Amino acid sequence: MSDEIIIGISGASGVQYGIRLLETLKSMKEFETHLILSESAKQLIKIETDFSIHDIEQLGDNVYGDHDFTAPIASGSHRSRGMIVAPCSMKTLASIAIGMSDTLISRAADVCLKERRPLVLMVRETPLNLVHIENMGRAARAGAHILPASPAFYSRPESLDDIINFMAGRALDLLSIEHDLYKRWK
């Protein structure tokens, strides 16, 4: 199994989840990351964090524009362990759910689905309408893991970082990656 992980950060609030995943995977050293930032994600990074786009790109081993369909991760012949889209906007979810592949994030997700590789969609929206729910169902039936950004509180988080760590850890769990980001249920 390849130790390459694809991280897509789309234009939904909660870009901190994708950033924490990148920081965690970089610290593990045994993983090579492929990062895709949507244009909307770049705007939200400026609004929601103190990171520069350059800072975030430095966390990825390979960085692609969201319309770079020549990237190796756009092909099923390029092996990866799977992909996490964190956060996953409703627009990105819709594109993945109907197989549109109009961006590199949705194309790489489509590749994971067709190759039967794990795909984790950390959806971030509230409240949900029926279209959102049906798109989650479509993506789940196609093989995606739907991971709403809904942190648990049994670990008694004391900070926003604890909440971000919990959700990042749950995403890594779905790719069977060992970590110590949160205290597990006993």
Side-chain angles (χ1 to χ4, degrees), residues 26 33 74-75 77 86 90 105 111 119 126 134 145 174:
K26 187 145 198 104
T33 57
S75 171
S77 66
M90 291 299 109
I105 290 176
V111 166
L119 171 63
T126 193
E134 288 175 347
H145 295 281
L174 292 170

Side-chain angles (χ1 to χ4, degrees), residues 50-136:
D50 292 328
F51 288 97
S52 71
I53 302 305
H54 177 75
D55 292 338
I56 307 302
E57 290 175 340
Q58 292 300 303
L59 294 171
D61 297 306
N62 305 281
V63 181
Y64 312 100
D66 201 19
H67 293 285
D68 182 0
F69 292 100
T70 64
I73 57 176
S75 171
S77 66
H78 184 88
R79 305 278 316 257
S80 75
R81 187 172 184 151
M83 178 176 186
I84 302 170
V85 182
C88 182
S89 69
M90 291 299 109
K91 177 183 176 187
T92 300
L93 169 68
S95 180
I96 293 167
I98 64 170
M100 186 173 257
S101 295
D102 59 337
T103 65
L104 184 56
I105 290 176
S106 59
R107 173 59 189 166
D110 187 58
V111 166
C112 285
L113 292 174
K114 78 181 187 73
E115 300 294 331
R116 305 281 194 256
R117 297 179 190 140
L119 171 63
V120 178
L121 304 177
M122 190 183 294
V123 295
R124 232 303 304 139
E125 184 63 78
T126 193
L128 298 169
N129 67 38
L130 185 57
V131 173
H132 302 150
I133 293 165
E134 288 175 347
N135 282 338
M136 283 186 251

Side-chain angles (χ1 to χ4, degrees), residues 139-156:
R141 285 188 298 279
H145 295 281
I146 306 300
L147 179 65
S150 303
F153 291 89
Y154 58 78
S155 61
R156 297 190 178 207

Side-chain angles (χ1 to χ4, degrees), residues 164-184:
I164 293 167
N165 285 341
F166 178 83
M167 289 309 307
R170 293 297 290 140
L172 293 175
D173 287 346
L174 292 170
L175 266 60
S176 300
I177 296 174
E178 291 296 322
H179 62 84
D180 60 0
L181 286 172
Y182 69 91
K183 188 170 112 182
R184 296 190 179 276

